[in-house]
Amino acid sequence: GSNDETVTIITHTMSSRNVLRRGLKTSSSFAQSLPALKERSATAATTKPSIFSQIFGGSATKQPPMDEPMPNVIIPESPIYPKEAPKTLVTTLSNGATIASENTPGATMAVGLYLESGSKYEQPYMSGASHMLERMAFKATTNRTNFRITKEAEVMSASLLAAASREQMSYTVDALKTHLPEAVELLCDSALNPKLANHEVAKMAKDLKKEIEELKTNPQAMLMEAVHSTAYDGGLGNALLASQESIDAIDGDALREFIAENYVAPRMVLAASGADHQELVSIASPMLETVSKGSATTTSKEIPSKYMGGDFRVKNESPLTSLILGFEFQGGWRDAKRSTAVTVLSMLLGGGGSFSAGGPGKGMYSRLYTRVLNRYGWAQNCTAFHSIYNDTGIVGISAMTDGQHVNDMIAVMAEELSAVANASQITDEEVERAKNATNSSILMNLESKAVVAEDIGRQMLTYNHRKSPEEFIAEVSKLTKQDLSEVAAQMLKSNPTLCLSGDIAGAARFETVRAMF
């Protein structure tokens, strides 16, 4: 080392002594480095100068070999991790609102308000309300301007998100743990007290119309909407995406009426990950206890849904054909064993696009890859899907091909669905692979605190309690290929739902497709 280095070391050591003498708090890393600095400075002062130091000036410090520990250096203790996974704690307020949380370790937290509300609860004159409320989330409230909400989120470095689905609405905030009070207050105010001024709703309606026009260029997204309107009669058949006509009929008064009817305490869960439960309750309960309990009609405003199945076709100028073939899954999420079997079955079928076929981690060993995409060049996409709700669901295969092979694709989709309904055509190896993929997907997703908070909120709405990941993994591990085939066979007994878009001139009639099962 040089004289400058020695002077620098001694100066740093003296500075640290001055800091400690003044009683100021130092960082843990700096405090841990003080013994090493003291030892090094003392050694530098007593070590005999080397030949290079005698020639070029300066002094040298003698250091121990790399395989020996540094003398008089205090090694900090390893962090102490909890021996048990954090548990989900639940508190129910006097008006029926629920607060549930899990104190996951870390510096960040995620908190969300989850409501049993969505397009399933929309009356015909309120069609598109959930979609509009999703877009109007975290805008001006009765207590805050739009600008203030934005600035408060910036100060907290928070991430704000709202999402609408057919059965549930969610509003979430991700931020540092130290901002829990501010995040909860901002979340509750934004979700429960939106201003919804008519001019702001009109401006958002104009933007929504442009989005809807752009969505029309995505046949797969529009077909998934068509699947629900074709398959179900009732609430689940309501459109999640607002139509051009419904947007024009929605104003601020209509949205406030929808909130008053559906955003009631018994259908509301405040869920958090990375927050102390007692602290969360003390912060949130004064705000949530003011929410109305609702009347006997608003606590169960759900519009009944009945699966019907059927045929939907729309022709356009595209040379390609997008198609979806689905069947009813009776029981929904509340049938725990069979819904778990459907999840594993979808993983077993797998699939994807031909562009990524064979790529690592792309599901190249799933049935729809090995038996469809790798075998037929005209199959541009073939993917299993499942849309499951509380008491029912629709499961099947979506695909894309050119118009000349649309009937070939329908036949292949029917063949693959029929094959998994027969246990003798499923191997133990692919069942184990699908089970492992399902378990890994669950665990990897739950590494995100935002996902944990969402999992808590949605499970509380569905089951009225939260199942641990270990419970789900145990249910997955118990499944056999007979369980998967029985679920598939039961689904194929329902009336099929067939939706096509694009070049459909030569597509088979619905009766022909139904006769394949």
Side-chain angles (χ1 to χ4, degrees):
S2 64
N3 285 327
D4 292 340
E5 180 182 2
T6 304
V7 172
T8 302
I9 292 171
I10 294 173
T11 303
H12 286 174
T13 306
M14 293 176 65
S15 298
S16 66
R17 289 173 180 168
N18 292 335
V19 169
L20 295 175
R21 188 179 297 117
R22 295 190 189 107
L24 299 179
K25 186 178 179 181
T26 62
S27 67
S28 59
S29 60
F30 185 63
Q32 292 168 6
S33 69
L34 293 181
L37 293 174
K38 292 176 183 178
E39 174 66 20
R40 187 176 179 187
S41 61
T43 305
T46 58
T47 302
K48 182 180 179 180
S50 66
I51 186 171
F52 291 101
S53 299
Q54 295 176 13
I55 297 173
F56 300 105
S59 61
T61 58
K62 185 178 180 180
Q63 301 290 354
M66 295 294 291
D67 58 347
E68 294 182 11
M70 292 283 289
N72 300 325
V73 173
I74 301 174
I75 300 176
E77 296 181 359
S78 301
I80 300 175
Y81 294 100
K83 295 181 179 179
E84 296 182 356
K87 296 182 179 180
T88 302
L89 303 178
V90 180
T91 298
T92 302
L93 303 181
S94 58
N95 59 355
T98 302
I99 301 175
S101 69
E102 179 181 286
N103 196 0
T104 312
T108 61
M109 62 90 190
V111 59
L113 191 64
Y114 299 87
L115 302 126
E116 194 176 15
S117 175
S119 61
K120 180 180 178 179
Y121 299 87
E122 294 173 359
Q123 298 293 337
Y125 61 88
M126 284 299 300
S127 178
S130 299
H131 190 188
M132 180 65 78
L133 285 173
E134 177 191 78
R135 293 296 190 270
M136 293 297 296
F138 298 105
K139 303 292 184 184
T141 72
T142 54
N143 304 304
R144 286 175 168 85
T145 62
N146 192 9
F147 178 77
R148 180 179 170 184
I149 291 175
T150 303
K151 295 304 293 183
E152 287 186 16
E154 287 180 355
V155 170
M156 292 188 289
S157 297
S159 174
L160 311 179
L161 179 66
S165 65
R166 285 183 159 77
E167 286 188 322
Q168 296 172 355
M169 288 281 296
S170 67
Y171 301 81
T172 59
V173 177
D174 298 352
L176 293 173
K177 279 186 175 181
T178 52
H179 295 304
L180 178 63
E182 297 91 339
V184 172
E185 205 277 332
L186 177 63
L187 172 68
C188 293
D189 188 35
S190 299
L192 303 178
N193 305 312
K195 189 174 183 180
L196 301 173
N198 285 332
H199 71 277
E200 292 181 341
V201 175
K203 182 179 182 301
M204 184 56 65
K206 185 177 180 180
D207 295 338
L208 264 183
K209 288 182 179 180
K210 295 179 181 178
E211 290 183 24
I212 293 170
E213 285 298 321
E214 292 175 0
L215 276 174
K216 290 181 179 179
T217 62
N218 184 351
Q220 289 295 104
M222 298 307 296
L223 268 189
M224 191 55 68
E225 275 293 295
V227 163
H228 286 81
S229 60
T230 304
Y232 289 101
D233 180 28
L236 288 176
N238 292 343
L240 177 59
L241 301 178
S243 64
Q244 298 274 10
E245 296 76 16
S246 63
I247 289 176
D248 293 332
I250 295 176
D251 58 12
D253 294 334
L255 293 177
R256 280 188 288 272
E257 179 184 349
F258 183 82
I259 289 175
E261 291 180 352
N262 293 282
Y263 287 27
V264 293
R267 294 162 54 184
M268 180 182 302
V269 174
L270 181 73
S273 172
D276 179 76
H277 186 71
Q278 294 304 321
E279 182 184 4
L280 179 65
V281 172
S282 64
I283 295 169
S285 56
M287 290 175 275
L288 296 184
E289 283 176 344
T290 62
V291 179
S292 170
K293 293 182 180 180
S295 62
T297 56
T298 57
T299 52
S300 57
K301 197 73 175 178
E302 173 184 342
I303 301 174
S305 302
K306 182 180 180 181
Y307 180 85
M308 304 294 290
D311 188 29
F312 172 87
R313 304 179 186 219
V314 57
K315 183 179 180 180
N316 56 43
E317 300 302 319
S318 173
L320 300 176
T321 304
S322 298
L323 56 161
I324 294 179
L325 178 62
F327 295 85
E328 181 191 17
F329 166 59
Q330 298 178 354
W333 288 121
R334 288 174 177 157
D335 188 338
K337 181 179 179 180
R338 297 180 74 246
S339 62
T340 304
V342 165
T343 304
V344 176
L345 180 64
S346 296
M347 191 69 72
L348 182 142
L349 286 168
S354 59
F355 178 77
S356 59
K362 301 289 187 179
M364 60 184 291
Y365 289 108
S366 62
R367 290 177 72 97
L368 295 184
Y369 260 120
T370 57
R371 294 162 60 101
V372 180
L373 291 166
N374 293 346
R375 187 178 298 179
Y376 305 109
W378 39 261
Q380 297 197 18
N381 187 294
C382 190
T383 309
F385 79 93
H386 61 280
S387 296
I388 304 179
Y389 303 98
N390 289 343
D391 303 304
T392 183
I394 181 167
V395 182
I397 298 175
S398 66
M400 182 181 292
T401 185
D402 57 84
Q404 296 178 350
H405 293 94
V406 59
N407 289 331
D408 296 327
M409 179 58 82
I410 292 175
V412 167
M413 294 164 70
E415 180 183 351
E416 292 303 316
L417 290 171
S418 299
V420 293
N422 186 345
S424 62
Q425 296 191 42
I426 305 175
T427 66
D428 292 330
E429 179 184 6
E430 59 185 345
V431 171
E432 287 303 313
R433 184 184 295 119
K435 288 161 66 173
N436 291 336
T438 303
N439 289 338
S440 66
S441 177
I442 292 172
L443 296 176
M444 285 189 291
N445 282 322
L446 291 178
E447 290 181 1
S448 165
K449 289 185 179 178
V451 174
V452 173
E454 180 180 356
D455 185 54
I456 294 172
R458 296 191 187 280
Q459 283 201 52
M460 291 300 300
L461 290 176
T462 303
Y463 305 117
N464 203 28
H465 69 278
R466 201 242 174 154
K467 293 183 178 181
S468 67
E470 290 78 13
E471 291 181 71
F472 277 110
I473 291 173
E475 291 174 357
V476 170
S477 301
K478 294 177 184 177
L479 292 173
T480 64
K481 61 182 182 181
Q482 284 76 20
D483 295 325
L484 303 187
S485 62
E486 287 175 7
V487 169
Q490 182 65 34
M491 291 190 303
L492 296 185
K493 293 179 181 179
S494 65
N495 196 37
T497 298
L498 178 64
C499 298
L500 302 98
S501 172
D503 184 0
I504 60 172
R509 295 173 59 85
F510 178 73
E511 291 76 13
T512 305
V513 177
R514 183 166 52 188
M516 296 178 180
F517 300 95

